[in-house]
């Protein structure tokens, strides 16, 4: 960042005017709600009643339903990362190789096709996937399953495994195109000479990928990893549109959905807040770990 | 020669993957022209992917059922999009420029806060934000939907990066000419940030158009719903709901696809920038 000359003396207030909207917005709609959540997590809240109950809400988290939500959020986050980093990275490299010369328009069209899912509302996505993965034997997912030698299943209702598979498939479909764009932007930063000199040394395509592309894409990989971690723990909408606010056997239940259920369906604001604080703590710890491993947040101070 | 074959193989693989990715999109487009009852009973089947047996009745139902409620949802979505995008783009650019241009006490902390808020899942806070909206009497209002997310951290970050890459001599010469700091921003620097505005207008509009959870919490009556909320309310198999659901889903998506094909460059540049500089 260029260190510019300071504003004139009598205008020292100017920078603060510029950042004021952010300070107000973050204070009112982030800091204050966080404080409120902490307070509410120690209270029992009902119409006309608000009393301090100590750690009661946190003790009540020791229930199978919360454990299901916790496990689902972790498994979902892990699986989406396992798919949504390597697959888009390889696809971006393949796309990039078609980028030059005559491949130019093919590149644009293919990139656009893979990006289309990211443009669609989650409600629309949920509707289409519910119908493609419908329980009828002739539905498209079951047709494919039978072609591969599996029996048809009730994807949405059969149990936690098919539910998780479905959620990961939806995530893969929705976010591959976006992550490809991140990786493509990263590939643009890698100087071509590196590949040229590697070729002179007789490196094959795989060696170039492993020794040049992967290490030099590291900053973008860290970025994608970070947004995937937070996106994974925040997941709720996909589950909501596939199963509605509650689901049989709690399939697809996640932490944020548990907060929603407690707050808006069971009128348990206190318990919901305790879940919120727990999730915030998890996210905070994970981001500290990421910071330690990758230095992502270091960009703030230069 | 070997090189050319490799290239052809790569393109064939990519085309195959892209076709698989397009199946749900294609299925959506065709389902808008099929009877909802049939889809509800059998789901989307391989036969329903054949381009035959279309009917316009679902689309007709969509625009006429319940006194044209779909058009009302469409209008609500457009109003929200215009208000939200225009206000949050102005505020986010203003803050981003300030963070890029000035050295002042607290700048580092604010930058870290912007980066932190960019990634922290705001969904955690729906309960206290809901209480806040009740307190401000903003439930079931447009302002209730847009107010908490007017200053968008990712947009602030993007504008800060962009403004930081502009030549600082322009600011200095503005000062020499006696232009005020705000004059420098609005008259000299902001016009130079037009490409950044383009990318962010696209992304924020897309977010607003598809936004679901927060509007679901705030908006309570059918005539205030946006398209995603309206479609969500049709998810129960009742009367002609599925006719409206599928054709409505298609009509909600079509304008976005058209804009995407016209402005693909802007969609892509807004996203890529954040990843490389992030």
């Amino acid at each position: 960042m260029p260190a510019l000359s300071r504003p004139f003396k009598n205008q020292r207030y100017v920078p603060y005017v510029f950042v004021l909207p952010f300070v107000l917005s973050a204070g009112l709609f982030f800091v204050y709600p966080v404080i409120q959540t902490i307070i509410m997590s120690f209270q029992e809240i009902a119409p006309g009643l608000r009393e301090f109950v100590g750690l009661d809400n946190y003790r009540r988290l020791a229930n199978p339903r919360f454990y299901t939500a916790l496990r689902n959020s972790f498994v979902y986050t892990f699986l989406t990362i396992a798919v949504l980093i390597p697959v888009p990275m390889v696809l971006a490299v393949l796309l990039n190789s078609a980028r030059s010369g005559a491949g130019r328009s093919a590149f644009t069209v293919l990139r656009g096709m893979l990006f289309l899912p990211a443009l669609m509302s989650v409600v629309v996505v949920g509707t289409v996937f519910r119908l493609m993965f419908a329980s009828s034997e002739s539905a498209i997912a079951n047709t494919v399953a039978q072609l591969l030698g599996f029996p048809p299943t009730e994807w949405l209702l059969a149990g936690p495994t098919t539910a998780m598979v479905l959620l990961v498939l939806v995530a893969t479909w929705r976010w591959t195109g976006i992550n490809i764009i991140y990786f493509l932007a990263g590939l643009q930063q890698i100087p071509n000479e590196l590949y040229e000199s590697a070729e002179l040394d007789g490196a094959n395509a795989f060696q170039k990928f492993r020794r040049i592309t992967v290490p030099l894409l590291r900053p973008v990989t860290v970025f994608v990893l970070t947004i995937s971690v937070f996106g994974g723990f925040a997941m709720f909408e996909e589950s909501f549109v596939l199963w509605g606010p509650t689901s049989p056997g709690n399939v697809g239940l996640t932490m944020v959905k548990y907060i929603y259920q407690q707050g808006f369906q069971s009128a348990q604001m206190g318990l919901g807040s305790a879940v919120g604080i727990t999730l915030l703590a998890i996210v905070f710890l994970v981001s500290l770990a990421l910071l330690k491993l990758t230095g992502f947040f270091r960009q703030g101070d230069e | 020669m070997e090189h050319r074959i490799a290239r052809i193989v790569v393109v064939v693989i990519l085309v195959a993957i892209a076709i698989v990715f397009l199946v749900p999109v294609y299925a959506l487009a065709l389902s808008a022209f099929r009877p909802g009852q049939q889809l509800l009973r059998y789901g989307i089947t391989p036969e329903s992917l054949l381009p035959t047996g279309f009917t316009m009745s679902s689309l007709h139902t969509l625009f006429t059922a319940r006194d044209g409620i779909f058009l009302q949802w469409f209008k609500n979505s457009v109003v929200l999009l215009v208000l939200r995008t225009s206000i949050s783009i102005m505020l986010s650019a203003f803050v981003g420029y300030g963070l890029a241009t000035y050295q002042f006490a607290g700048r580092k902390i604010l930058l870290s806060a912007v980066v932190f808020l960019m990634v922290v899942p705001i969904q955690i806070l729906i309960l206290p934000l809901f209480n806040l909206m009740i307190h401000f009497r903003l439930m079931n209002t447009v302002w209730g939907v847009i107010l908490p997310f007017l200053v968008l951290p990712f947009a602030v970050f993007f504008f800060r990066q962009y403004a930081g890459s502009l030549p600082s001599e322009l600011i200095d010469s503005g000062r020499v000419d006696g232009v005020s700091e705000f004059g420098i921003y609005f008259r000299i620097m902001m016009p130079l940030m037009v490409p950044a505005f383009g990318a962010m207008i696209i992304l924020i509009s897309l977010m607003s158009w598809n936004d679901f959870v927060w509007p679901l919490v705030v908006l309570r009556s059918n005539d205030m719903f946006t398209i995603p909320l309206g479609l969500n309310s049709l998810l129960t198999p009742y009367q002609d709901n599925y006719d409206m659901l599928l054709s409505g889903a298609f009509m909600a998506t079509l304008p976005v696809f058209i804009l995407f094909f016209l402005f693909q460059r802007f969609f892509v540049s807004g996203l890529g920038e954040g990843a490389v500089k992030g």
Side-chain angles (χ1 to χ4, degrees):
Chain A
M1 201 59 30
L4 303 179
S5 52
R6 285 154 194 274
F8 304 119
K9 253 193 180 154
N10 59 347
Q11 292 188 326
R12 281 251 175 89
Y13 69 92
V14 165
Y16 297 100
V17 175
F18 273 102
V19 297
L20 189 66
F22 175 74
V23 174
L24 284 179
S25 167
L28 192 55
F29 300 116
F30 183 76
V31 178
Y32 176 76
V34 168
I35 294 169
Q36 276 299 311
T37 310
I38 295 172
I39 294 172
M40 287 196 299
S41 75
F42 296 110
Q43 289 177 327
E44 188 180 336
I45 299 155
L49 168 92
R50 231 182 142 123
E51 72 182 0
F52 183 77
V53 293
L55 288 169
D56 261 18
N57 290 321
Y58 289 96
R59 278 190 212 107
R60 286 168 61 205
L61 290 183
N63 72 72
R65 193 146 161 195
F66 177 71
Y67 291 146
T68 304
L70 193 65
R71 192 177 53 235
N72 281 347
S73 283
F74 268 97
V75 172
Y76 176 81
T77 305
F78 177 79
L79 290 177
T80 46
I81 290 170
V83 176
L84 280 170
I85 288 181
V87 172
M89 189 193 281
V90 172
L91 288 178
V93 170
L94 293 181
L95 266 175
N96 209 40
S97 71
R99 193 170 199 157
S100 55
R104 181 82 219 170
S105 48
F107 166 82
T108 311
V109 170
L110 285 168
R111 183 185 64 180
M113 284 164 84
L114 293 168
F115 191 78
L116 286 183
L119 300 170
M120 292 162 72
S121 151
V122 70
V123 182
V124 174
V125 172
T127 304
V128 175
F129 273 78
R130 274 161 78 119
L131 291 173
M132 287 175 56
F133 288 79
S135 32
S136 102
E137 271 183 39
S138 54
I140 197 156
N142 275 335
T143 309
V144 173
Q146 287 170 86
L147 282 176
L148 298 174
F150 296 102
T153 48
E154 291 198 64
W155 289 88
L156 286 155
L157 305 172
T161 312
T162 52
M164 185 57 75
V165 170
L166 189 50
L167 283 171
V168 174
L169 277 176
V170 170
T172 305
W173 183 71
R174 286 186 88 196
W175 306 126
T176 296
I178 285 199
N179 287 358
I180 284 177
I181 286 173
Y182 294 143
F183 284 118
L184 281 173
L187 289 171
Q188 291 285 292
Q189 310 279 312
I190 302 178
N192 226 346
E193 295 82 53
L194 286 178
Y195 292 109
E196 281 159 14
S197 58
E199 264 163 47
L200 288 178
D201 293 342
N204 64 30
F206 179 73
Q207 283 165 329
K208 280 188 284 180
F209 179 72
R210 245 204 82 188
R211 303 276 170 204
I212 301 173
T213 310
V214 174
L216 285 175
L217 277 181
R218 196 182 127 89
V220 180
T221 310
V222 169
F223 172 82
V224 173
L225 176 69
T226 309
I227 57 170
S228 306
V229 166
F230 291 103
F233 283 113
M235 197 274 279
F236 161 57
E237 299 186 327
E238 286 84 347
S239 170
F240 189 94
V241 295
L242 285 173
W243 290 281
T246 50
S247 56
N250 295 322
V251 296
L253 179 66
T254 63
M255 298 273 281
V256 175
K257 195 171 183 182
Y258 192 77
I259 297 176
Y260 184 90
Q261 290 178 347
Q262 293 309 318
F264 296 116
Q265 294 195 297
S266 317
Q268 298 272 355
M269 284 270 178
L271 184 60
S273 300
V275 181
I277 293 302
T278 310
L279 182 52
L280 209 56
I282 293 173
V283 165
F284 187 70
L285 287 177
V286 171
S287 61
L288 276 187
L290 276 179
L291 170 74
K292 199 107 193 138
L293 287 170
T294 64
F296 177 67
F297 287 98
R298 244 176 262 152
Q299 66 187 333
D301 41 79
E302 303 130 274
Chain B
M1 191 61 205
E2 200 183 317
H3 191 69
R4 255 184 80 177
I5 293 171
R7 224 176 136 130
I8 290 168
V9 172
V10 164
V11 170
V12 168
I13 293 172
L14 286 171
V15 168
I17 292 172
I19 287 173
V20 173
F21 265 68
L22 279 188
V23 169
V25 179
Y26 176 74
L28 170 70
L30 262 58
S31 301
F33 302 95
R34 301 201 184 282
Q37 281 304 321
Q38 181 198 329
L39 288 163
L40 182 57
R41 186 168 311 150
Y42 302 108
I44 292 173
T45 61
E47 296 85 66
S48 71
L49 296 183
L50 299 174
T52 53
F54 294 138
T55 162
M56 295 301 282
S57 74
S58 290
L59 270 182
H60 185 252
T61 309
L62 179 70
F63 289 110
T64 53
R66 290 164 232 177
D67 302 325
I69 189 77
F70 182 78
L71 291 172
Q72 179 67 33
W73 296 339
F74 203 96
K75 203 187 102 203
N76 295 340
S77 280
V78 171
V79 169
L80 260 175
L81 181 148
V82 171
L83 269 178
R84 205 178 154 172
T85 308
S86 52
I87 301 175
S88 66
I89 204 120
M90 293 310 285
L91 289 177
S92 305
F94 190 70
V95 175
Y97 171 82
L99 282 173
T101 307
Y102 300 103
Q103 301 288 334
F104 56 96
R107 175 173 163 275
K108 275 186 182 176
I109 295 172
L110 281 177
L111 274 176
S112 309
V114 169
V115 174
F116 180 68
L117 289 187
M118 237 163 82
V119 288
V120 83
I122 222 71
Q123 289 88 332
I124 295 174
L125 300 175
I126 46 178
L127 302 185
L129 285 174
F130 169 74
N131 286 343
L132 208 56
M133 291 305 117
I134 293 178
H135 184 77
F136 289 153
R137 298 180 191 287
L138 288 175
M139 286 299 287
N140 207 28
T141 66
V142 169
W143 291 107
V145 177
I146 63 178
L147 204 57
F149 307 105
L150 271 189
V151 186
L152 293 165
F154 80 89
V156 170
F157 185 77
F158 183 82
F159 280 114
R160 180 244 177 193
Q161 298 289 11
Y162 197 89
S165 68
L166 296 174
S168 58
E169 295 79 24
L170 290 170
I171 299 177
D172 293 333
S173 66
R175 282 182 187 145
V176 171
D177 292 345
V179 186
S180 77
E181 294 296 315
F182 299 109
I184 290 174
Y185 172 64
F186 284 110
R187 300 219 303 268
I188 303 173
M189 301 308 276
M190 204 173 90
L192 297 177
M193 289 161 70
V194 165
F197 276 87
M200 285 296 108
I201 285 172
I202 297 262
L203 276 191
I204 298 172
S205 303
L206 181 65
M207 266 177 48
S208 172
W209 187 254
N210 289 337
D211 200 11
F212 182 56
V213 170
W214 183 242
L216 184 71
V217 169
V218 174
L219 299 176
R220 296 280 136 165
S221 62
N222 214 316
D223 61 326
M224 288 296 294
F225 280 178
T226 58
I227 297 178
L229 299 193
L231 294 177
N232 178 59
S233 73
L234 295 172
L235 273 171
T236 45
Y238 170 77
Q239 285 181 3
D240 47 16
N241 274 2
Y242 262 69
D243 287 340
M244 285 181 77
L245 178 62
L246 268 306
S247 53
F250 176 66
M251 291 311 288
T253 311
L254 194 59
V256 188
F257 278 9
I258 293 172
L259 285 178
F260 176 71
F261 284 116
L262 292 175
F263 300 111
Q264 186 178 159
R265 202 161 47 84
F266 287 102
F267 279 83
V268 171
S269 68
L271 286 168
E273 201 78 358
V276 173
K277 296 195 172 138

